[in-house]
Amino acid sequence: MGFAAFQYAYRSELSASKRWTFAGLRFLSVLGLLLLLIDPKLEQVSYYTEKAQLALLVDNTASIAFLEQEEAVKEVVAHFRETDAVGTALDALEEQFDLNYYSFSGQLQGLDTLGFSAKGTRIAQALKDVEGIHNRGRLASLLLSDGNQTYGEDYSYFRPRQDHELFTVMVGDTMLKQDLTISRINLNKYAYINNTFPVEAIISRSGDEPITSTVRILSSNQTLARQTVRFGAGEQSRILNFELPASRVGLQRYTLSIDPLDQESNTQNNSRRFAIEVIDQKSKIVIIANQLHPDLGLWKKSIERNELREVSYAKPDINPQELESFDLVILFQPDAQFESVYRSLDERNANRITHAGDATSWGVLNSMQNSFNKPVTNQTDEVLAVVNPGFSSFDLGDFEVNDLPPLSTTFGGAVLTAKTDIMLYQRIGNVVTDQPLIALLEQQGHKEILIDGVGLWKWRAQQFVNTGSFDVFDDFISSLIQFTASSERRNRLEVDFEPFYYGSQDVIISAQYFDKNYQFDGGERVVIQLTHEETGKVTNSVFLRSGNAYRLDLSNLDPGAYRFRVSVPNQNLSSDGSFTIIPFQVEEQFINPDRERLERLSQGRLYTTGQIDALIEDLLDDPKYLPVQKSRENIVSLISWEVLLILLILLLSAEWFLRKYNGLI
């Protein structure tokens, strides 16, 4: 204030009122600037009310419709959503909770419309998903379901986090009905001609009375096997074992059926079809190694997931005559002792897979074959994988490499001297190189794969973490084996399909078309003509391109046997085949809700659809779910206070205007 007074009062000719006005404006302006320079901190406290989260999870699968409970479920949902009447219990529920509505089948999604047509129930995943969405604060979940889960982990052992409570609302008739069900059929996908193959059937029943029935296996209306099944009082399941002959090569179809009980209302779950492919040979693969490594076990596990393949281990000193009995040889980390093996393979012009890595003797390996060579160094390196977008030998499907761990190899890149199709390049850090990590080669009539890195077992483990299954990685290994194990000339049109599809399994057919230079061509029109063998109905569809392949989803087809012809009309190329869709409506296998598991999941907090008002009252009376008032304290910097900045501008502007008006400027 003294500084402002000195400026305007000392030897000033202005009147006293003007001097004090100018001095006051200058004082306030300087004070504001000093406050901005000092930048003091202010505490700002705000208050808010936190409600508990209430999530209603509605089962939207076909089992609800099969039990004729659609209207009961819709009434429960409508009951929760009718919150317009002020003063009702529902209005109080909305004041106490943040309500959220979801439907689920395989996964959780927002509740829009209820169609009750989904083919699979996965309750455990829905419970995990709702915890992921509401990952903070108090949460109460109301599971509205019949409790009949068709796949996934057993939801009754799901344990919610500490601030999450589960309530279950059971849908369906609580009266237990007598019913026989084929719960599961276990068998291999393949059998060998002139052998027998086992079939295991798990038969379940609901009810408590002793019952007896007959189980049959039929083929072309002819009974091949029969057993009597007896359930004592309180006995709920039995396991039956059959041995069937594999007398004909090809896809063989069967039906397993149970004679229905006198009072049984649901007979749709009394029969189930299955199929097996009878083959007359098995591919034999040998892994030759001179050291122990986890990748050796990986090769065996992944390859033998396909029951048509058998894997053996051998040392490099294997007898050449014994080597001739194998369809494919995998050479792991070759060293000088592999010389006789390479010589034998070259004499027979045999296919092979060379799996090199950080312990490979590259100086020796370069001299033992002429498909590739690599500089000899004593330095190892960790390399990541990058997919070559131009790779065309086969479709990689769902296999992705973006987050896979690095492989270990020697420093430098292999130089390929044969006809090559590189699948994966090496990436070192963020640098993508032109050095091959996995390459497919063809030379002098034989096929070969070079894998320049060990640690594939980590890839398989990571794929399981990502997808919950080993199938994606094992399919990738199967494609590598199929490429090298086959000596047939490559077709320009290749079609990939399963000989049979079960129940709600997706029916996917993929195809690859290659030009005359055997390079993938994604610009052609690939079509399929399907014929239902029983009805003769013909369906025509067009494949859609997906990456380096053409794909077609035929999941909407009716069950039955189909033959097809895939063709490229402009190139006069075609490929024929057949497959069978085996009918099985898993959601129609239940006639009673699973009260026991629902009650175990909710630890006794089980209600029926007629007890919704009691459930709401229990929620409102629970003190854990009362709204909580909380405070939030923020430390605010004065320099970010917009009002002070505006006030400072106004003060400086006013001082300038008054000085101008009084002729002081």
Side-chain angles (χ1 to χ4, degrees), residues 144-387:
L144 180 59
S145 173
D146 57 12
N148 293 315
Q149 180 169 271
T150 57
Y151 68 107
E153 60 189 273
D154 189 343
Y155 68 88
S156 65
Y157 295 103
F158 175 82
R159 289 297 171 260
R161 64 174 191 253
Q162 189 173 4
D163 57 355
H164 179 198
E165 282 195 338
L166 285 169
F167 299 82
T168 51
V169 180
M170 186 176 66
V171 176
D173 192 350
T174 57
M175 182 179 295
L176 194 63
K177 302 177 182 178
Q178 289 282 0
D179 183 56
L180 283 170
T181 303
I182 302 173
S183 298
R184 188 177 181 87
I185 298 177
N186 296 320
L187 76 160
N188 297 325
K189 291 179 63 176
Y190 305 97
Y192 297 100
I193 189 68
N194 299 326
N195 288 341
T196 60
F197 61 92
V199 177
E200 181 183 76
I202 302 176
I203 312 299
S204 303
R205 70 87 172 252
S206 60
D208 297 319
E209 299 295 326
I211 58 172
T212 301
S213 186
T214 301
V215 180
R216 296 177 173 85
I217 295 181
L218 302 94
S219 176
S220 301
N221 296 324
Q222 179 182 359
T223 300
L224 302 180
R226 176 192 318 218
Q227 286 192 39
T228 299
V229 58
R230 295 181 177 86
F231 289 90
E235 194 174 9
Q236 299 301 315
S237 66
R238 293 291 303 276
I239 298 177
L240 304 181
N241 292 287
F242 301 86
E243 291 284 338
L244 300 180
S247 55
R248 290 182 297 176
V249 174
L251 185 67
Q252 307 301 321
R253 304 177 180 89
Y254 304 90
T255 301
L256 189 146
S257 66
I258 313 173
D259 291 348
L261 303 173
D262 293 337
Q263 304 298 323
E264 192 169 358
S265 59
N266 176 26
T267 59
Q268 294 192 36
N269 55 12
N270 285 46
S271 66
R272 187 166 173 180
R273 295 178 63 190
F274 63 96
I276 192 168
E277 187 171 5
V278 179
I279 57 178
D280 59 1
Q281 62 180 350
K282 191 172 189 176
S283 296
K284 296 177 66 178
I285 299 166
V286 62
I287 301 174
I288 300 179
N290 213 14
Q291 59 178 279
L292 297 177
H293 194 278
D295 281 357
L296 298 176
L298 169 134
W299 279 109
K300 184 175 178 66
K301 282 184 175 294
S302 292
I303 293 173
E304 290 188 344
R305 285 289 293 272
N306 186 330
E307 297 161 3
L308 297 177
R309 295 168 182 155
E310 179 182 1
V311 176
S312 302
Y313 294 109
K315 290 285 189 178
D317 58 359
I318 183 174
N319 190 306
Q321 293 182 348
E322 184 182 353
L323 196 62
E324 293 180 6
S325 64
F326 294 98
D327 299 294
L328 177 64
V329 178
I330 299 175
L331 305 133
F332 185 79
Q333 300 264 51
D335 55 27
Q337 299 183 35
F338 280 69
E339 183 176 359
S340 62
V341 176
Y342 272 100
R343 188 185 312 115
S344 175
L345 294 175
D346 289 339
E347 289 174 356
R348 296 188 294 112
N349 208 21
N351 296 347
R352 69 205 71 168
I353 294 177
T354 299
H355 189 176
D358 52 12
T360 299
S361 301
W362 275 102
V364 177
L365 182 57
N366 290 339
S367 64
M368 289 189 299
Q369 48 77 44
N370 57 4
S371 298
F372 50 83
N373 61 78
K374 185 175 181 179
V376 179
T377 65
N378 294 323
Q379 182 179 352
T380 61
D381 211 348
E382 298 288 322
V383 296
L384 299 167
V386 175
V387 175

Side-chain angles (χ1 to χ4, degrees), residues 298 301-302 305 399 457-465 467-477:
L298 169 134
K301 282 184 175 294
S302 292
R305 285 289 293 272
F399 181 71
W457 66 271
K458 293 184 287 187
W459 283 16
R460 190 171 190 258
Q462 185 63 47
Q463 288 285 2
F464 183 84
V465 172
T467 65
S469 170
F470 294 116
D471 292 345
V472 172
F473 183 83
D474 290 343
D475 289 345
F476 163 70
I477 293 294

Side-chain angles (χ1 to χ4, degrees), residues 558-576:
D558 295 328
Y562 291 84
R563 62 180 184 273
F564 66 83
R565 169 165 291 184
V566 176
S567 61
V568 184
N570 294 337
Q571 300 295 327
N572 196 27
L573 293 173
S574 64
S575 178
D576 297 336

